[in-house]
Amino acid sequence: MAILPIIQPDNPVLRKKAHRVQSFDGKFQKLVDDMYETLMDAPGVGLAAPQVAVSQRVILVRLPDDEDSRNEYGKEAGMLHVVANPEIVKASKEIVEGVEACLSIPGYYGTVDRHEKIAIKGLDRYGEPVRIKAHGWLARVFQHEIDHLDGQLYIDIAKDVWRATREDEDEEHEEI
Ligand code: ZN
């Protein structure tokens, strides 16, 4: 496995609509493994392939395996989701505001409206169908990552964006 460089908006791949995953071959498995290592190293809670300069529709999402996550999300804490060609098939009318950051835009935060609950369908790393229901923070991470596949960044839709301060660091907002 290898830690891949995470690109920033000066690299045009981050702004392109990514291609659907067609082949779940060894090369794709290596990409998923490398993305996992990159996500854990960052550390972050989500990573989309365009962030490592690969224009393919695959995302990794993993909430931290800590006490807060376990209390709020149960078995979702520490569970790795790999979703190829993800699509949001249901979204709650309820919209919630929350703070986001992005591994591709280090040092900034923003306030973004997201659906409180969503249902996603897609394929797992072996090409088998998966469906995932998510709420709260997990739903937010999925929406942020799926936006990356269409070249959209949270700063495009944020109500406000600010440079990280010491207080932000202390609050330990997770980078996604
Ligand atoms: Zn991001």
Side-chain angles (χ1 to χ4, degrees), residues 24 59 80-89 119-133 142:
F24 295 82
I59 59 171
L80 176 66
H81 293 286
V82 178
V83 190
N85 306 335
E87 279 175 52
I88 296 174
V89 289
I120 298 159
K121 71 169 189 180
L123 302 171
D124 71 10
R125 65 181 296 171
Y126 305 110
E128 298 297 324
V130 284
R131 271 180 178 270
I132 300 163
K133 285 182 179 167
F142 273 113

Side-chain angles (χ1 to χ4, degrees), residues 18-70:
H19 302 285
R20 290 178 69 80
V21 177
Q22 306 278 6
S23 172
F24 295 82
D25 57 5
K27 195 176 164 198
F28 180 75
Q29 300 306 317
K30 182 173 185 330
L31 170 66
V32 170
D33 288 341
D34 288 349
M35 284 178 65
Y36 179 65
E37 194 171 356
T38 306
L39 179 65
M40 292 296 99
D41 177 69
V45 293
L47 189 68
Q51 291 184 275
V52 292
V54 176
S55 191
Q56 288 213 49
R57 302 185 77 81
V58 60
I59 59 171
L60 272 64
V61 172
R62 182 187 180 274
L63 295 186
D65 186 16
D66 60 18
E67 204 179 323
D68 286 352
S69 283
R70 281 197 292 270

